């Protein structure tokens, strides 16, 4: 609920920054003409801010609708699995408010530099094309290693050195995308691991028969002769109360046979524990 949305919002903020920067770059002459006709910087700033707010609000509305649907489906799944007679899905208004507020804030932070640059453009400067960056040799060329690189490679290195902030942001965006993939697959892998350890390595039985009071081994023999039963194994569970000074806790202690097949004991490294 915290880290995965944060990764999404960081990537979205970066994408908004890229889109708004390119939009401002292509609309420089229009911004200059509007300012020359008397439009104030605050009006230009509010115009582009509205564009960002519309995108963020649309995303919030669609995300809220999808979240409500997924939440209700997940609640119904829990109710069906655990056989609850009633389990209602309830959405608090403050959850929607917080989600929309965080989304709007992340969007504004991501696009703020581009929007501010559009508002600060002077009319005469904006009405002409953006001047190219100052040329300088790259680090590779200063070391005299340019002969090892093609002309295209040197152009790429030169562009990377000219815009270190953009390179850093692009690297961070790729890192966030990889983190998102890892975080998304972690839950599936963790659940698969839990299911494998608990129901394939520890509890290997297909069915468990529980009695309300201790039974003799005769009951075990009778179960072994039921049609379809291949093997049966005894298990004893006793309720206990652990006491230490004024503190106590109810628990249970299990008794397992020395030689067992269906119910295993494993340590933290999944090695068998011998009784």
């Amino acid at each position: 609920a915290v880290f995965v949305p944060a990764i999404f919002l960081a990537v979205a903020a970066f994408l908004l920054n890229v889109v708004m920067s390119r939009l401002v770059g292509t609309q420089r002459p229009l911004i200059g003409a509007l300012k020359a006709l008397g439009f104030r910087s605050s009006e230009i700033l509010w115009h582009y801010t509205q564009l960002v707010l519309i995108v963020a609000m649309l995303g919030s509305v669609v995300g809220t609708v999808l979240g409500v649907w997924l939440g209700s489906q997940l609640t119904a799944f829990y109710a069906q699995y655990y056989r609850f007679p009633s389990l209602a899905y309830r959405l608090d208004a403050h959850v929607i408010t917080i989600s929309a507020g965080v989304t709007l804030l992340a969007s504004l932070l991501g696009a703020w530099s581009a929007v501010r640059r559009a508002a600060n453009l002077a009319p005469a400067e904006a009405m002409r094309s953006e001047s190219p960056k100052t040329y300088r040799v790259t680090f590779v060329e200063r070391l005299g290693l340019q002969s090892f690189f093609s002309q295209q490679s040197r152009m790429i290195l030169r562009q990377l050195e000219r815009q270190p902030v953009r390179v850093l942001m692009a690297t961070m965006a790729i890192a966030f995308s990889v983190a998102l993939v890892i975080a998304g697959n972690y839950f599936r892998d963790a659940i698969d691991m839990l299911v494998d350890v608990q129901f394939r390595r520890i509890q290997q039985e297909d069915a468990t028969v529980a009695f309300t009071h201790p039974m003799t081994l005769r009951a075990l023999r009778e179960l072994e002769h039921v049609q379809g039963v291949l093997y049966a194994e005894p298990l004893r569970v006793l309720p206990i109360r652990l006491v230490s000074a004024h503190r106590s806790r109810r628990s249970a202690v299990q008794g397992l046979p020395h030689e067992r097949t269906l119910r295993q004991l494993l340590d933290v490294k999944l090695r068998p524990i011998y009784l």
Side-chain angles (χ1 to χ4, degrees):
V2 175
F3 291 103
V4 175
I7 296 173
F8 267 105
L9 289 174
V11 174
F14 172 74
L15 292 177
L16 273 174
N17 181 271
V18 172
V19 171
M20 294 303 298
S21 297
R22 294 187 176 183
L23 185 62
V24 170
T26 57
Q27 295 183 354
R28 283 171 58 92
L30 296 177
I31 296 172
L34 290 174
K35 284 198 160 188
L37 292 173
F39 282 87
R40 297 188 300 271
S41 297
S42 59
E43 293 175 317
I44 303 294
L45 180 67
W46 176 237
H47 168 74
Y48 285 101
T49 303
Q50 283 179 307
L51 180 61
V52 176
L53 291 176
I54 290 174
V55 173
M57 290 174 64
L58 287 175
S60 298
V61 171
V62 175
T64 300
V65 173
L66 288 176
V68 171
W69 179 76
L70 288 172
S72 59
Q73 293 294 316
L74 185 61
T75 305
F77 176 76
Y78 269 101
Q80 178 184 4
Y81 183 81
Y82 290 106
R83 301 181 183 273
F84 291 137
S86 176
L87 187 63
Y89 173 75
R90 196 167 57 245
L91 180 65
D92 295 330
H94 77 276
V95 174
I96 300 179
T97 304
I98 293 175
S99 302
V102 171
T103 302
L104 292 175
L105 180 62
S107 301
L108 290 175
L109 289 176
W112 175 249
S113 63
V115 172
R116 185 182 59 181
R117 187 166 63 252
N120 292 335
L121 282 174
E125 179 187 353
M127 294 178 71
R128 67 171 184 262
S129 300
E130 187 176 4
S131 57
K133 303 291 183 180
T134 303
Y135 171 79
R136 64 178 183 269
V137 295
T138 62
F139 179 74
V140 173
E141 292 168 330
R142 288 196 295 269
L143 293 177
L145 302 177
Q146 62 270 20
S147 59
F148 295 97
F149 296 90
S150 63
Q151 182 66 30
Q152 292 83 357
S153 300
R154 292 201 299 272
M155 292 172 61
I156 293 173
L157 293 174
R158 192 174 298 124
Q159 289 295 328
L160 293 177
E161 282 198 23
R162 282 177 178 176
Q163 299 175 337
V165 177
R166 180 175 294 183
V167 173
L168 178 62
M169 294 296 293
T171 304
M172 290 179 60
I174 295 174
F176 276 128
S177 65
V178 174
L180 192 60
V181 174
I182 293 175
N185 284 280
Y186 161 77
F187 297 103
R188 182 179 61 186
D189 294 341
I191 292 175
D192 289 343
M193 181 69 175
L194 289 172
V195 171
D196 178 70
V197 171
Q198 188 64 32
F199 298 109
R200 293 191 181 96
R201 303 191 186 190
I202 296 178
Q203 294 180 243
Q204 300 182 18
E205 69 271 14
D206 296 311
T208 303
V209 180
F211 299 97
T212 57
H213 56 278
M215 306 293 290
T216 62
L217 289 178
R218 179 180 178 183
L220 182 68
R221 302 292 177 260
E222 292 178 357
L223 287 174
E224 287 178 332
H225 288 85
V226 173
Q227 184 177 1
V229 176
L230 303 178
Y231 178 73
E233 197 171 88
L235 172 68
R236 180 76 182 273
V237 181
L238 289 176
I240 61 172
R241 189 162 67 98
L242 304 174
V243 180
S244 176
H246 63 283
R247 292 181 293 270
S248 65
R249 173 175 295 182
R250 294 184 179 275
S251 183
V253 60
Q254 297 186 14
L256 298 173
H258 177 66
E259 295 182 359
R260 57 195 180 279
T261 303
L262 300 180
R263 186 66 63 92
Q264 300 294 328
L265 291 178
L266 304 178
D267 59 14
V268 293
K269 295 183 178 182
L270 302 182
R271 296 173 300 192
I273 299 175
Y274 299 98
L275 298 179

